[in-house]
Amino acid sequence: MSNSTSYKAGKRSNKSVTFFVCFLAALAGLLFGLDIGVIAGALPFISHDFQITSHQQEWVVSSMMFGAAVGAVGSGWMNFRIGRKYSLMIGAVLFVVGSLCSAFAPDTQILLIARVLLGLAVGIASYTAPVYLSEIAPEKIRGSMISMYQLMITIGILAAYLSDTGFSYSGSWRWMLGVITIPALLLLVGVFFLPDSPRWLAARGNDDKARRVLEKLRDSSEQARNELNEIRESLKIKQSGWGLFTNNKNFRRAVYLGILLQVMQQFTGMNVIMYYAPKIFGLAGFASTSEQMWGTVIVGLVNVLATFIAIGLVDRWGRKPTLKLGFLVMAIGMGVLGTMMHIGVESTVAKYFSIAMLLMFIIGFAMSAGPLIWVLCSEIQPLKGRDFGITVSTATNWIANMIVGATFLTMLDSLGNANTFWVYAGLNVVFIFITIALIPETKNVSLEHIERNLMNGKALKNIGE
Ligand code: BGC
């Protein structure tokens, strides 16, 4: 059992190889974040240039999420056929093409097509990168490595908010969308140097290559051999994907858990703030555009900084306590924000207090559900059904994301500001109980061990024991 893994002194080089590999894969996360963040600031200028209706604006935003859902669905199959490395490469090419097309789009139609292409790229990246990271990283740091992926997402969002704010003075939305080509090219070049995932290689019967990759990534040949043996062991279950889903009720539980986890992440209400932060600053009494733009940058910054809390906690404190605390913090943040809207935000103190609550919510998300849901989703699927299971959960992330993004303004109109925030506060309270009842603790447990427990029918919340 590789739980007994020991990291011997004098073997630093392998660690840095692993770190480099994980860093590169996490670059995919940076692009994910850039593309999520960039549209908030670009949209007003695009709408002005192309003279589009608010309905068309909604399409400009949500076409990417649509593409991402499709990309995530296609990724399962693609990852199975060509592996993680080449899937990331296709994602990188789409990032480059999508960024260039959107920067040069002559009209709304081309822009929409470009956004769908970018969405496909984001969908592939959001599927492939966490899987790859979970298969490459040694289990002791697996949680932190995937959290690093989330860190890159948040840095991407912040960078997009900053660059939007910078370009907003000249009003150049083409530059806002176009600069993303640079990190996209970087990813494309970097991906060439990545090794194939040892788990994927072993699943294709390529044991020799898998062993060689593991030897490069682990501290000793013994460790590499042990890990390969564990992988072989877990490969003995002969079905995969849809077949496994229809025949095996234990696997079905993992798929449903993945869906639930991603619905929980999106229904915390995080993206309501990511997409509509300037508007929320407006509701909290900040009237000028520059106040709203810079306020949005602060939201992005706090999101990055609080992700470090998760990186520190995830492999020490564990997934469950961090999640429970995070949902609690988010419930309080949203709840009090709703109450402020109910009372009416008039004084300066009330304005800043409301924003403090908004930031508290961001901290709650970034330290918990943001990274941890991706960590858990990549950990709970058994190897033979991993591609299928993660396809389903990642597609769920994007579909739920689209629903949240597309209903917020309607909710404000029909329920009122306070009630809208209270609904999200209430959902976060419910998620605390779901975490207690259903979510497993997977800290410091090998993927193979989790798989054995799951397939032996252990209760979901105990599969990490
Ligand atoms: C979520 C995104 C969200 C981002 C914010 C990610 O984990 O999947 O929907 O926009 O975190 O940091």
Side-chain angles (χ1 to χ4, degrees):
M1 189 68 221
S2 52
N3 253 350
S4 56
T5 309
S6 66
Y7 290 80
K8 297 184 188 79
K11 282 286 191 177
R12 288 218 142 274
S13 62
N14 284 10
K15 264 195 206 166
S16 15
V17 173
T18 307
F19 191 80
F20 169 77
V21 163
C22 291
F23 175 80
L24 256 181
L27 207 91
L30 184 91
L31 284 149
F32 175 156
L34 281 168
D35 282 304
I36 282 204
V38 74
I39 202 64
L43 195 61
F45 299 101
I46 295 172
S47 322
H48 180 261
D49 262 20
F50 288 159
Q51 292 293 314
I52 52 179
T53 65
S54 46
H55 190 61
Q56 285 168 316
Q57 290 178 39
E58 278 173 5
W59 269 106
V60 170
V61 175
S62 54
S63 49
M64 192 195 87
M65 298 168 219
F66 168 76
V70 176
V73 169
S75 287
W77 175 83
M78 192 162 77
N79 265 263
F80 175 71
R81 303 296 307 179
I82 63 172
R84 286 74 168 112
K85 174 181 167 146
Y86 292 97
S87 298
L88 276 176
M89 214 175 266
I90 292 181
V93 170
L94 284 168
F95 270 124
V96 174
V97 176
S99 306
L100 285 176
C101 288
S102 49
F104 289 105
D107 52 34
T108 322
Q109 282 75 15
I110 304 287
L111 183 61
L112 285 177
I113 294 171
R115 295 275 301 159
V116 173
L117 285 181
L118 278 175
L120 288 174
V122 175
I124 294 171
S126 65
Y127 171 90
T128 311
V131 178
Y132 183 79
L133 285 169
S134 76
E135 293 179 347
I136 287 279
E139 77 218 19
K140 277 214 167 151
I141 52 164
R142 198 175 58 224
S144 326
M145 277 300 174
I146 303 177
S147 304
M148 199 164 95
Y149 166 75
Q150 173 71 15
L151 182 67
M152 299 297 269
I153 297 181
T154 60
I155 292 176
I157 295 175
L158 173 64
Y161 285 165
L162 272 170
S163 119
D164 278 4
T165 305
F167 286 118
S168 70
Y169 293 99
S170 63
S172 177
W173 62 267
R174 292 187 187 276
W175 273 103
M176 295 180 192
L177 302 181
V179 286
I180 298 180
T181 313
I182 300 169
L185 280 171
L186 253 172
L187 176 68
L188 186 57
V189 174
V191 164
F192 277 96
F193 297 100
L194 291 180
D196 269 312
S197 148
R199 283 198 169 76
W200 180 75
L201 286 169
R204 310 285 290 180
N206 218 333
D207 282 18
D208 274 353
K209 244 183 155 178
R211 205 196 52 246
R212 260 177 281 141
V213 174
L214 278 169
E215 275 172 0
K216 256 191 244 153
L217 296 170
R218 299 294 178 260
D219 287 344
S220 63
S221 331
E222 191 200 336
Q223 236 181 63
R225 216 172 322 120
N226 286 345
E227 200 169 321
L228 188 58
N229 284 340
E230 287 206 354
I231 294 174
R232 279 208 203 98
E233 195 54 35
S234 66
L235 279 171
K236 283 189 184 146
I237 312 164
K238 275 289 165 261
Q239 300 168 38
S240 68
W242 179 246
L244 194 59
F245 182 77
T246 47
N247 292 336
N248 190 309
K249 88 169 192 309
N250 287 323
F251 175 53
R252 278 201 295 277
R253 296 183 309 152
V255 175
Y256 296 146
L257 183 60
I259 294 176
L260 177 70
L261 284 166
Q262 291 289 9
V263 167
M264 282 163 69
Q265 192 207 50
Q266 291 301 315
F267 282 87
T268 56
M270 176 62 167
N271 281 320
V272 157
I273 299 173
M274 292 293 100
Y275 303 138
Y276 300 103
K279 169 145 190 113
I280 296 174
F281 275 95
L283 295 179
F286 294 86
S288 83
T289 309
S290 110
E291 273 177 335
Q292 293 173 5
M293 274 291 214
W294 284 104
T296 303
V297 170
I298 292 172
V299 164
L301 183 66
V302 169
N303 190 20
V304 174
L305 294 180
T307 304
F308 283 102
I309 306 178
I311 295 180
L313 286 184
V314 60
D315 285 324
R316 274 190 290 149
W317 235 38
R319 284 67 165 143
K320 266 183 101 144
T322 317
L323 269 179
K324 280 186 280 187
L325 180 65
F327 287 130
L328 180 66
V329 172
M330 285 189 271
I332 297 173
M334 278 288 190
V336 179
L337 190 57
T339 308
M340 294 306 292
M341 305 268 171
H342 183 67
I343 302 170
V345 191
E346 260 129 44
S347 68
T348 313
V349 177
K351 267 166 61 171
Y352 283 100
F353 182 68
S354 303
I355 294 313
M357 288 301 111
L358 180 76
L359 295 179
M360 178 165 149
F361 171 89
I362 300 283
I363 293 173
F365 180 89
M367 63 165 280
S368 66
L372 281 184
I373 297 299
W374 292 106
V375 171
L376 281 163
C377 282
S378 68
E379 290 178 336
I380 56 171
Q381 302 298 343
L383 188 51
K384 269 290 182 181
R386 185 161 295 157
D387 289 342
F388 178 83
I390 298 181
T391 297
V392 173
S393 60
T394 308
T396 306
N397 175 282
W398 287 107
I399 293 165
N401 190 330
M402 199 153 67
I403 295 173
V404 167
T407 51
F408 181 60
L409 297 179
T410 318
M411 279 174 82
L412 288 182
D413 281 349
S414 54
L415 300 177
N417 300 346
N419 285 334
T420 303
F421 288 100
W422 282 336
V423 166
Y424 281 111
L427 284 170
N428 280 293
V429 173
V430 173
F431 298 156
I432 299 175
F433 292 106
I434 296 184
T435 306
I436 295 171
L438 285 176
I439 310 299
E441 180 54 77
T442 51
K443 175 186 79 168
N444 283 348
V445 191
S446 75
L447 297 181
E448 288 70 26
H449 187 77
I450 297 172
E451 170 161 352
R452 246 186 324 268
N453 281 337
L454 173 82
M455 295 317 238
N456 285 339
K458 259 202 176 170
L460 279 178
K461 73 169 185 179
N462 298 329
I463 58 175
E465 278 167 7

